[in-house]
Amino acid sequence: MELFTGAGFFPLIPAIRMHMGITEITVSVMIKDDLFVWVATDGDEKVGFTMISREKGSLYGLFVLPAYEGRGIGRRLTKIAEQEFFNHHEVAWLETDKNSLAAKFWMQPGWSNKATLDGAFIRLKKQRGS
């Protein structure tokens, strides 16, 4: 896995961007000085990434190309992000659509304390050591 900070990771993941509909505009809204990004690779191919705000203890996104789903890449990216969170925070959090595949993914590794935000989105939290 490679670590990038700031917007420098963006050009590295065109296939994921195109597949997920992620644009420079959507990412630029999230970019902060404390943004950390890990990119999963298979040889020279970028196959997944996760973005976190270390300052806020927030996970902004985790994406894996469909051809690479089910291989543990998302779990490895999650573990790396959680290690970084829990070096600085007692609790980490994320927000996602409650009906998405992402919501099901996040419920499995111990993210809980679900709070409904606006009917469509939920906030999940994970406590250090859980």
Side-chain angles (χ1 to χ4, degrees), residues 1-113:
M1 305 268 178
E2 301 174 52
L3 171 65
F4 298 89
T5 58
F9 79 97
F10 196 79
L12 301 173
I13 49 169
I16 297 169
R17 285 194 340 251
M18 288 173 37
H19 174 75
M20 301 300 295
I22 300 167
T23 68
E24 288 189 59
I25 293 169
T26 58
V27 172
S28 67
V29 170
M30 296 184 284
I31 298 286
K32 305 282 187 234
D33 289 340
D34 72 315
L35 181 72
F36 286 79
V37 177
W38 289 269
V39 177
T41 59
D42 181 17
D44 291 336
E45 186 174 5
K46 297 346 182 209
V47 299
F49 71 98
T50 188
M51 298 183 292
I52 69 165
S53 167
R54 184 171 64 187
E55 179 181 314
K56 295 179 181 179
S58 171
L59 189 133
Y60 283 132
L62 172 72
F63 304 95
V64 176
L65 287 174
Y68 287 85
E69 291 175 359
R71 298 184 189 187
I73 295 168
R75 297 276 179 239
R76 288 194 301 268
L77 288 167
T78 299
K79 185 174 179 82
I80 291 167
E82 289 175 353
Q83 288 171 344
E84 184 63 27
F85 284 141
F86 297 133
N87 284 335
H88 305 278
H89 299 277
E90 286 291 321
V91 177
W93 62 275
L94 63 90
E95 295 174 355
T96 191
D97 183 313
K98 70 180 180 184
N99 297 314
S100 67
L101 290 175
K104 293 179 181 108
F105 174 86
W106 290 114
M107 296 289 197
Q108 293 178 21
W111 291 74
S112 59
N113 300 322

